Structure formats: structure tokens, C-alpha cells
Amino acid sequence: MHKGHLTPPKNDVSHLPPSDAERFKRESNFLRGTITQDLDNNITGGFNSDNSQLIRLHGMYQQDDRDIRAERIEQKLEPLIHMMLRCRLPGGIITPKQWLAIDQFASEETFYGSIRLTTRQTFQFHGIFKRDLKSAHQLLNSVGLDSIATAGDVNRNVLCTSNPIESEVHQQAYQWASKISEHLLPKTRAYIEIWLDGKKLETKDEEPILSSQYLPRKFKTAVVIPPLNDVDVHANDLSFVAIAEHGKLIGFNVLVGGGLAMTHGDKTTYPRKADDFGFIPVSATLLFAEAVVTTQRDWGNRSNRKNAKTKYTLERVGVENFKREVELRAGISFLPSKPYTFNQRGDQFGWLKGVDNQWHLTLFIENGRLLDYPQKQLKTGMVEIAKIHQGDFRLTANQNLIIANVPASQKTTIENLAITYGLIDKNITSQRKNSMACVSFPTCPLAMAEAERFLPGFITTFEQILTKYQLSDEYIILRVTGCPNGCGRAMLAEIGLVGKAPGRYNLYLGGDRMGTRIPRLYRENITVEEIIQTLEPLIENWSLSRNHDEGFGDFMIRSKVVEPVINSASDFYR
Ligand code: SRM
Ligand code: SF4
């Protein structure tokens, strides 16, 4: 593997038989497989099994509509196969021109007609039929976008705090998010050849960073600007915490090994917070990004995908060993971490004025789903704004959207449009704004319980409880995921609901407001009614006995309802 592979890893697993995913990546000829043949096959709406995995590394997932799956099978029809396509958008910045193009594609060429903002600062189209895939990529390309490496065993869309207010630090941090994304991208020309009809070149493909077999598992990177932890650093394999002095970025504290997924019933899997490795100067950013990725590439478990992410590699080889290897590969050592604090989480809604006198309007988009509803024409509203907006848009890592860089002269026009189309709604409570759900049914093949379609109604009931205890201006960070993979980041919530079966969830309590503590299982496999019955007395106690500004999660710990999770590798299942 890597020439700079300097020390043999402790508890090496490289001798174990590789998983089947390793075979198809290795045999794929740098991600080509036989995707083009499958595109020409009109007998099925899908791809063969290897290709259906390979297209992920080009940013697509093969799915079907689970609401109508049984009916189709009964009619002896193939499930209604279509693809989800996820765009690459480092730092979540998109221009009005790009927005108009993606909006038109979503309306005219997708089964569901929506644009779905994700928890990783980008957007997805759901429901593209195989025959329309190429035009989707060509359209993205025509406006300077692509979907390379937004899925599969590669470094995914790189997050960056969506804080346009402190323009200078944000601008620099955003540029690093972009550079890291570019640096770690697959270098194969497969995407260009297959989707953009690019010429085959004589030169051989090479993947100096990712290897011809790509990474053992997905890899996630974030750049965060304290005090705002809007990207949830502990969900990422690698985070760069921006350290600024006198308004200028001087370097980053590097955090490694966060991740939130687990599998019900498998105690070798667990959510894990990242470890702080130390401070690096700005000039060493790419060196360290590459060193962490290649260490995980060479030391990650290629035999068992359930234990393949960086968080498990750290636990297996030891944090100090992993860190030393990174230093050896980077050729420089970490310096002691610089102090920083997180005192804000999530998005700051409404208008904010930046240091450069430009205005920024953060809109709450419930569960990130932009669609025209009978009462609220959200998607049309965004188009009307995009037609006149002179700045840009920023997607947040909480499925929301910022209309950024608005000159004072355009504020009123934009705000009026947002109100007219329901993009600003004064009746939305803080509770709703601090709640989040993953996609789940009908498109997610792994969903066990509803999430996106369940949350809005659940919050209505939850709001009634808050009102009953004079807490209507308060909020509790509440997140729902349809299965334990954790796409809605319930494992960093004060109340986390994790789907177990239709209508049944595991209830987790005790995360903190800043996203620095993992919650603990409190009740297992309970119905929605039982969730409400369990939560109501706890909320009542919180209303009566909390300290000033004490969040619900902290109160759950102080009042000994749950014990805090300190080191999830050893105490998450206690
Ligand atoms: Fe996720 C798989 C949706 C963020 C952990 N995720 C999936 C798939 C693709 C299902 C599949 O494999 O077939 C889901 C597609 C549903 C659909 O119909 O759109 C899916 N994940 C999402 C999104 C769209 C949720 C959302 O509501 O916004 C998010 C897209 C992010 C993006 O733009 O790249 C999304 N996924 C996350 C996060 C949160 C984050 O990264 O901040 C996590 C937890 C953090 C982590 O990785 O530990 C997450 N998704 C997973 C996992 C578990 C990975 C693991 O460590 O085992 C899977 C399943 C897998 O990889 O095997 C998964
Ligand atoms: Fe699907 Fe599970 Fe992710 Fe929700 S958490 S989108 S159900 S994989």
C-alpha cells in the first residue's frame, strides 16, 4: 500500500479475508465497472448488483418507492426503481443560477419533484429514472456542479460552518473546505467518461491518496468555526476546528474518529466522539488531511464493514498509535491544542448583518424538503428569490438554507417574497427549528420506522406538552432517525429517537445542547404513545427544577435519569 506506511498497526486485521465490497472496488477498473452497459439495458430500470454499488462512488443510490413496493410485487412488476443523486457542494455554497437549473431538473425530470437539503450541507434529487441519469449529470456539469464522491468509500462532501457573518475567517475556512475536498477527490476519469461522454485517455488512472481499492469505508470531513458547532464535529471522521487570531485564521485543531452509526443488537458498533489530536498551522492542512485519510486507508478494517470506519480503527490500534502514524506520514508533529469553546449549535434564523455590511437571511426548511405544498409554495418561492438574488445561497448542515450576501437595498424585496411563499413563517416554534429527521420512508431502503414524515406531527404534540408546562419559548434538541445508522444525528441530540420497527423507536436521553455528549438508551422499542407518556413527566420535572439556562439533556444527567456516556467504546451499552 502506501510507501509512507511507517509503523505496523497494532491488532492488525489486514490478513483477514476482505469483504465483497473490496472485490468489486478492486475489479471496477477505477470505478468504471460495466455501468455503461447497464445504462444501455432497457429491460430493467436498475443496475446489476456490483454496478448498483459502484454508482454510489459517483454520487447515486439505487432505490425504489417502498410505499408501492408490495403492490408492484403483487402485480408481478419490478419495483419502481429510480436513483437518488447527491450533489457535491463543499461548504454548501450554491449560486442563484445553479439553483434555477437544479430546480428545473427536479420539477421536470424526477419522480418526486422535490429538492431535499441534507444534514451534510448539500441537496439530493430523489426519483431519477436510469434513462435520465446522464442528463442529470450533464445539467450539473453545465452549471459547474458534480456528484463525485458524495457517497461510497471515499471522502464525502466536506462541511464548513455556514457563518457568512465573519466574512474573513469564514471565507478562509470555506476555501480550506474546498481545497480539502479537491485534494481528497478520486482522480479517476470514470465520472467524466461515463456521465459526461468524456474521451478515454491513454494515460493510466492512478489514485495516490485513495488507492485503486478506495477507502475501507465512507469518510467524513468538516471544517468548523467556533463558537458555532453547526456541523456537529463529533459526527465526522476528521474535523478541522478553525483557530483565529485578530480575525485571521492561523490554523486548526484536528479532531479524528467521530461517527454516529450503530447496528441494533451488535455491541461491537456504537456512536463515538472524536479525539483531539492537536493544533496544526494552516499551511499543513492538506498534509494532515492526507495523512489521516491514508492511515485510515491502510489500517482500516477491510474484512468487516461494520467495524471499518475510522472510529473503530482508533479503538483497535489505539489513539496514540494512530496519531503517531499520522505525524510520521505528515512529516511534522501536532502542537498542543489551542483553546476554543462551542456556545452555539444549529442555525441562527432570521436576518444577520455581516462584518462587510451584507445581510444574510437564514430560512427554516422543515426536514430540508423543498416542495410546493398546497399552503406553502416553498419551491416556487426559492425560484422567485433566485431570479432576483445577487448574492449566493448557503445550505446548512441542519437541512436549512441561508440567502447570503443580500445588499441592504434588496432586503425588503427578498423578505416579502419569503413571507409570500411561506419560507418565513412567524408561527414556527423554537422547538420545531431545533428538531431534525432523516429521510427514511419511502425512499431509504434501510428505514425501519418513519422519520421525515413522522416528525412534523410529533412536534405538534410535543409543543403542546411544552406549552402545558410554561415552556413554549424553550426547546429541546430532538432528532429522529428511521434506523440506527443515524443520518439525522439523533446520537448527538438531547432526545434521540431511533427507529426499531414501524411505529416503534428506541428513546435516548442525555445528549447536550452543544453536541458534545452522546445520549444513552433510556427505553427500548416503544410506541409513539409510550414515548409521550415517558417524556411528559421528565419535561414537567425539567420545568420545575432546572437551573438557570440548564438544557434538558444536562438536567437528565444531573437528576440522574440517565448516566452520562463518557467513553462510548466501553460504556455505551452499560
Ligand atoms: Fe446517511 C446510509 C441519507 C447523513 C450515516 N444515508 C444512507 C442512505 C444512503 C441509505 C443507503 O445506504 O441506501 C440514506 C438515503 C436516504 C434517502 O432516501 O435519501 C441516507 N444520510 C442521509 C441523509 C440524506 C439524511 C438527511 O436526512 O439529510 C444525509 C446525507 C448527507 C450528505 O449529504 O452526504 C445523511 N448519514 C448521514 C449522517 C450525518 C452526518 O454525516 O452528519 C450519518 C451519521 C454520521 C456517521 O456517518 O457516523 C449517516 N448513512 C449513514 C450510515 C451508517 C454509516 C456507518 O458508520 O455505519 C448509512 C449506512 C451505511 O453506510 O452502510 C447511511
Ligand atoms: Fe435511512 Fe436509516 Fe439513514 Fe434514516 S438513518 S436515512 S432510515 S439509513
Side-chain angles (χ1 to χ4, degrees):
M1 281 268 186
H2 188 252
K3 289 201 185 66
H5 180 175
L6 298 160
T7 43
K10 217 176 105 200
N11 300 325
D12 187 18
V13 287
S14 60
H15 57 285
L16 297 176
S19 69
D20 193 50
E22 296 303 318
R23 177 197 55 77
F24 76 73
K25 284 184 283 177
R26 190 179 57 244
E27 291 173 358
S28 73
N29 182 21
F30 294 91
L31 308 184
R32 290 174 180 81
T34 53
I35 294 173
T36 36
Q37 279 97 309
D38 276 9
L39 282 174
D40 293 337
N41 177 355
N42 299 325
I43 295 169
T44 161
F47 290 86
N48 79 28
S49 95
D50 280 2
N51 291 334
S52 70
Q53 297 299 314
L54 266 184
I55 58 167
R56 296 186 170 200
L57 289 103
H58 299 260
M60 286 158 290
Y61 289 83
Q62 181 164 313
Q63 305 184 319
D64 73 294
D65 189 309
R66 293 181 64 183
D67 285 349
I68 53 173
R69 188 188 280 175
E71 185 188 318
R72 304 244 334 161
I73 291 172
E74 205 171 292
Q75 293 170 353
K76 301 202 167 27
L77 292 171
E78 182 177 76
L80 188 64
I81 297 175
H82 39 56
M83 313 300 147
M84 176 264 274
L85 189 155
R86 188 182 282 160
C87 189
R88 184 171 68 95
L89 218 55
I93 300 187
I94 181 164
T95 65
K97 185 176 163 219
Q98 290 170 330
W99 189 274
L100 291 173
I102 65 160
D103 178 89
Q104 192 176 352
F105 185 84
S107 303
E108 293 175 5
E109 310 285 346
T110 70
F111 183 67
Y112 298 99
S114 68
I115 296 173
R116 175 56 156 76
L117 312 184
T118 76
T119 51
R120 290 196 70 79
Q121 239 178 355
T122 185
F123 65 87
Q124 294 180 171
F125 298 120
H126 286 102
I128 309 179
F129 294 109
K130 191 171 77 173
R131 59 172 185 268
D132 298 322
L133 277 178
K134 264 192 168 180
S135 48
H137 290 288
Q138 293 179 359
L139 168 106
L140 288 179
N141 180 255
S142 72
V143 291
L145 297 172
D146 63 64
S147 68
I148 299 172
T150 52
D153 298 342
V154 283
N155 180 57
R156 304 285 188 93
N157 196 44
V158 178
L159 305 183
C160 181
T161 293
S162 15
N163 166 10
I165 318 156
E166 288 178 60
S167 318
E168 201 169 338
V169 178
H170 181 269
Q171 189 56 26
Q172 292 164 350
Y174 166 72
Q175 278 165 4
W176 280 109
S178 276
K179 283 185 204 164
I180 296 164
S181 168
E182 285 295 324
H183 190 67
L184 300 177
L185 272 189
K187 306 292 180 265
T188 170
R189 282 182 47 86
Y191 183 91
I192 298 171
E193 286 171 19
I194 299 171
W195 307 109
L196 308 178
D197 293 328
K199 258 214 204 118
K200 286 197 172 58
L201 300 182
E202 292 303 310
T203 47
K204 261 184 72 194
D205 284 298
E206 275 182 38
E207 293 287 10
I209 298 178
L210 301 173
S211 87
S212 58
Q213 219 163 306
Y214 296 86
L215 299 180
R217 201 64 165 93
K218 54 170 66 165
F219 190 94
K220 297 182 172 177
T221 306
V223 176
V224 68
I225 311 174
L228 183 54
N229 182 19
D230 63 338
V231 298
D232 277 343
V233 283
H234 292 292
N236 291 277
D237 296 67
L238 173 60
S239 292
F240 292 92
V241 181
I243 304 293
E245 262 176 26
H246 311 299
K248 285 219 171 354
L249 184 71
I250 57 158
F252 297 101
N253 285 352
V254 178
L255 307 190
V256 180
L260 303 183
M262 58 186 157
T263 303
H264 288 314
D266 179 351
K267 292 189 177 172
T268 70
T269 66
Y270 44 83
R272 184 185 190 278
K273 278 176 55 183
D275 287 281
D276 190 335
F277 276 21
F279 175 80
I280 58 163
V282 134
S283 56
T285 308
L286 296 184
L287 268 181
F288 275 98
E290 185 173 327
V292 173
V293 168
T294 61
T295 304
Q296 161 61 4
R297 176 196 69 192
D298 297 344
W299 288 10
N301 188 333
R302 289 185 184 263
S303 179
N304 178 358
R305 288 182 68 74
K306 290 260 177 238
N307 296 135
K309 281 202 83 186
T310 315
K311 60 181 178 178
Y312 301 116
T313 313
L314 281 188
E315 291 295 337
R316 178 167 47 79
V317 307
V319 175
E320 279 310 309
N321 290 339
F322 194 105
K323 181 176 157 187
R324 193 162 348 110
E325 178 71 9
V326 169
E327 289 176 324
L328 290 169
R329 289 180 187 223
I332 47 172
S333 299
F334 287 102
L335 297 167
S337 290
K338 302 263 184 201
Y340 69 93
T341 43
F342 290 132
N343 61 20
Q344 279 176 300
R345 173 103 175 275
D347 300 325
Q348 300 152 282
F349 297 95
W351 285 107
L352 286 172
K353 191 179 184 185
V355 289
D356 55 359
N357 291 329
Q358 296 286 77
W359 287 86
H360 312 286
L361 175 63
T362 303
L363 302 174
F364 169 68
I365 311 293
E366 190 155 39
N367 297 320
R369 185 71 70 177
L370 276 161
L371 195 58
D372 282 346
Y373 301 94
Q375 319 302 336
K376 292 181 177 188
Q377 311 265 291
L378 301 181
K379 194 158 154 296
T380 304
M382 277 303 300
V383 168
E384 293 307 314
I385 291 171
K387 282 183 190 163
I388 58 150
H389 180 38
Q390 295 158 9
D392 51 38
F393 297 121
R394 289 157 193 229
L395 309 193
T396 80
N398 302 297
Q399 305 170 332
N400 296 312
L401 189 145
I402 305 175
I403 303 172
N405 292 309
V406 178
S409 57
Q410 256 202 335
K411 255 185 92 188
T412 314
T413 318
I414 290 202
E415 183 170 323
N416 286 342
L417 281 172
I419 293 169
T420 306
Y421 289 96
L423 288 156
I424 293 179
D425 179 347
K426 296 227 154 45
N427 298 319
I428 305 276
T429 59
S430 303
Q431 181 54 55
R432 202 169 286 272
K433 289 178 182 164
N434 283 287
S435 305
M436 196 157 79
C438 71
V439 176
S440 199
F441 286 101
T443 51
C444 179
L446 307 177
M448 297 173 175
E450 293 282 351
E452 181 180 325
R453 298 193 296 197
F454 158 74
L455 185 64
F458 182 76
I459 297 175
T460 305
T461 312
F462 198 85
E463 285 165 344
Q464 286 160 3
I465 299 176
L466 292 181
T467 307
K468 187 168 163 190
Y469 298 106
Q470 287 82 46
L471 294 166
S472 46
D473 293 334
E474 270 293 349
Y475 69 90
I476 299 172
I477 294 186
L478 165 65
R479 294 176 174 180
V480 187
T481 65
C483 84
N485 284 320
C487 304
R489 295 199 292 266
M491 284 303 100
L492 288 172
E494 296 183 281
I495 298 177
L497 296 176
V498 175
K500 195 81 204 273
R504 303 190 85 94
Y505 299 83
N506 285 357
L507 168 64
Y508 290 78
L509 299 176
D512 62 351
R513 283 214 169 148
M514 292 310 136
T516 61
R517 191 171 57 231
I518 287 168
R520 185 178 288 286
L521 181 63
Y522 183 62
R523 291 279 184 270
E524 201 171 350
N525 199 22
I526 56 175
T527 61
V528 178
E529 212 185 345
E530 288 166 328
I531 296 169
I532 299 290
Q533 282 164 1
T534 308
L535 288 177
E536 182 163 349
L538 299 174
I539 293 172
E540 184 183 11
N541 275 348
W542 179 52
S543 77
L544 297 171
S545 312
R546 69 195 163 136
N547 291 332
H548 174 68
D549 271 354
E550 185 176 32
F552 180 76
D554 286 345
F555 180 71
M556 289 298 95
I557 303 290
R558 187 171 62 84
S559 56
K560 298 200 174 0
V561 174
V562 286
E563 280 181 48
V565 172
I566 311 278
N567 174 352
S568 54
S570 58
D571 74 0
F572 184 65
Y573 290 105
R574 204 179 53 208

